[in-house]
């Protein structure tokens, strides 16, 4: 499989006074093109920190992060901002939608920043994504006027409008109820089936079963990984059992 992102000996240390906390301890990881990679592990394992380090949102103390062969950890802030706007997409537990822009405007603005088309093309893609995410009827509303599920679906549309090489998701269903979580996971699974490369942090087994590759992080180190075939709903119970057995072996 083709490597899209490579982290080598990635180390992140947080220091408070004289105390040093090594949150990431020389992590080496490959992210493959077209994979739906899931990062799991106990609370405090460093999952979100690893996600942010691989995406250039978090500085690292040592090691290298290569995206398509480019050492992005050496980029300056302007280069990192351009990389995030044009190559990466982000979905978080909190949507971070701009409060005084409508859902349509939130999505379209991300398209303009990504520079992946002219104004007419971006507006058409915005409408297409809103239909796909089932938020077209809420397009003229502000984030405060829609449900949490609608806001998260709009956030996914915003994240992928620039046709990112890699989509990062940090607990995207963490603030949603079960029904909205399933809708969001179905959308992410559909994107993965269409070839979108995704890296997602989760503690939720319902989310983990959607992945094609699971990484287990503990004490800032990757202890194990598991490979799965592309998700099929008919196989969900079997996938749950396999993942549960794997996690039990790791004493999760």
């Amino acid at each position: 499989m083709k490597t899209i992102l490579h982290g080598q000996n990635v180390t992140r240390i947080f220091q408070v006074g004289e105390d040093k906390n090594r949150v990431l301890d020389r992590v080496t990881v490959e992210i493959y093109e077209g994979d739906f990679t899931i990062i799991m592990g106990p609370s405090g394992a460093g999952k979100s920190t690893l996600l942010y380090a691989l995406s250039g949102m978090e500085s690292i103390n040592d090691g290298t992060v290569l995206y398509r062969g480019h050492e992005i950890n050496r980029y300056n802030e302007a280069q990192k901002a351009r990389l995030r706007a044009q190559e990466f997409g982000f979905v978080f537990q909190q949507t971070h939608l701009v409060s005084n822009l409508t859902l349509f405007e939130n999505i379209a603005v991300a398209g303009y920043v990504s520079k992946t088309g002219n104004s007419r093309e971006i507006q058409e893609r915005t409408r297409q994504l809103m239909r796909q995410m089932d938020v077209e009827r809420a397009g003229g509303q502000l984030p405060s006027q829609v449900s949490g599920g609608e806001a998260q679906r709009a956030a996914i549309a915003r994240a992928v409008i620039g046709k990112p090489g890699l989509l990062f998701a940090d607990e995207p269903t963490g603030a949603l109820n079960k029904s909205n979580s399933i809708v969001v996971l179905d959308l992410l699974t559909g994107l993965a089936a269409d070839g979108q490369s995704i890296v997602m942090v989760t503690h939720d087994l319902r989310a983990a079963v959607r992945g094609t590759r699971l990484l287990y992080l503990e004490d800032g180190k990757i202890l194990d990984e598991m490979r799965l075939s592309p998700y099929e709903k008919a196989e969900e119970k079997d996938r749950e059992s396999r993942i549960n057995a794997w996690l039990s072996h790791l004493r999760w």
Side-chain angles (χ1 to χ4, degrees), residues 34-40 172-173 178-193 196 198-200 202 204-214 226-240 243:
D35 248 1
F36 191 167
T37 302
I38 304 291
I39 302 175
M40 301 190 77
T173 61
K178 182 178 179 180
S179 60
N180 278 319
S181 294
I182 291 172
V183 171
V184 166
L185 291 172
D186 285 345
L187 291 169
L188 291 172
T189 304
L191 290 170
Q196 176 67 61
I198 303 175
V199 181
M200 181 171 76
T202 188
D204 188 349
L205 185 60
R206 290 176 303 179
V209 298
R210 303 304 184 103
T212 54
R213 180 180 179 224
L214 280 64
M226 181 181 188
R227 169 64 64 179
L228 294 169
S229 60
Y231 173 81
E232 295 286 347
K233 185 169 180 56
E235 301 172 353
E236 186 166 274
K237 291 299 182 183
D238 178 62
R239 294 168 79 91
E240 285 183 3
I243 294 171

Side-chain angles (χ1 to χ4, degrees), residues 9-125:
N9 294 326
V10 175
T11 301
R12 182 68 173 112
I13 300 170
F14 291 103
Q15 184 164 353
V16 180
E18 296 184 357
D19 296 328
K20 292 183 178 180
N21 182 16
R22 188 179 288 264
V23 180
L24 297 177
D25 188 6
R26 293 167 292 179
V27 174
T28 294
V29 60
E30 303 266 357
I31 303 298
Y32 302 114
E33 196 161 20
D35 248 1
F36 191 167
T37 302
I38 304 291
I39 302 175
M40 301 190 77
S43 178
K47 302 184 295 296
S48 293
T49 302
L50 177 60
L51 191 82
Y52 300 150
L54 294 178
S55 66
M57 293 182 66
E58 183 84 57
S59 298
I60 60 176
N61 298 90
D62 198 10
T64 57
V65 179
L66 300 174
Y67 174 71
R68 299 192 189 277
H70 298 281
E71 194 171 348
I72 66 173
N73 57 291
R74 293 187 177 274
Y75 282 8
N76 60 36
E77 287 307 312
Q79 290 173 311
K80 287 180 180 179
R82 186 161 56 250
L83 176 76
R84 291 192 292 267
Q86 298 179 2
E87 289 290 334
F88 294 160
F90 297 91
V91 184
F92 303 99
Q93 181 172 330
Q94 303 301 322
T95 62
H96 300 296
L97 295 172
V98 180
S99 62
N100 62 343
L101 297 181
T102 65
L103 297 193
F104 183 94
E105 291 167 340
N106 265 281
I107 298 164
V109 164
Y112 298 136
V113 171
S114 69
K115 299 179 181 178
T116 53
N118 59 38
S119 178
R120 184 176 179 179
E121 290 169 338
I122 288 168
Q123 290 192 33
E124 177 53 37
R125 179 158 168 76

